[in-house]
Amino acid sequence: IYGTQDNVFSHERMVEFQQFMIKNGFPYAVPGSYVSAYAQFLCGFLYILGAATRFAGALMVINFLFALGIAHRNTPLAADMPPLAMLAVALFLLFYGAGKFSVDDAMDGARRVRAR
């Protein structure tokens, strides 16, 4: 949320992000910048709530694989650590879900009760 809120709330920062994506050779850089920034921002809230975490994790896996494959392909490992960490979190949530204290778990519990 923190890392993308400036792109979401500031047109100038979004334009800077678009220029960064164009410079790094992202296909469809302008629409992709909106998709990436808003997906990261919204998935951050989904992570916090534990809602639709597997879906949010899948979106972020795709997002950060593109980021690492295109924007970080020629950067040193130290610069790759933040997107690698985000990719690791996204993979964890994709495969394991949010856990016991989450909206997802509460919804699953409600479904189990209705199924009885």
Side-chain angles (χ1 to χ4, degrees):
I1 296 169
Y2 178 77
T4 58
Q5 55 84 24
D6 57 340
N7 293 340
V8 171
F9 296 117
S10 169
H11 177 70
E12 292 79 23
R13 293 289 293 154
M14 181 60 81
V15 170
E16 286 178 28
F17 184 46
Q18 291 168 354
Q19 294 304 316
F20 168 79
M21 290 180 70
I22 290 168
K23 182 182 120 201
N24 284 288
F26 277 86
Y28 307 104
V30 173
S33 65
Y34 286 100
V35 169
S36 177
Y38 281 92
Q40 290 178 61
F41 188 74
L42 295 173
C43 286
F45 283 108
L46 292 173
Y47 282 1
I48 289 170
L49 294 172
T53 50
R54 291 178 190 267
F55 174 74
L59 286 178
M60 291 299 94
V61 165
I62 294 166
N63 185 77
F64 285 104
L65 285 175
F66 270 99
L68 286 161
I70 298 173
H72 292 268
R73 65 179 172 250
N74 295 321
T75 58
L77 182 60
D80 296 342
M81 285 303 169
L84 283 170
M86 296 293 281
L87 177 61
V89 168
L91 284 166
F92 178 85
L93 291 172
L94 172 62
F95 290 114
Y96 293 100
K100 192 171 187 176
F101 301 106
S102 66
V103 171
D104 286 346
D105 189 61
M107 299 288 284
D108 288 342
R111 282 187 212 114
R112 283 189 294 262
V113 168
R114 280 193 305 247
R116 289 182 191 170

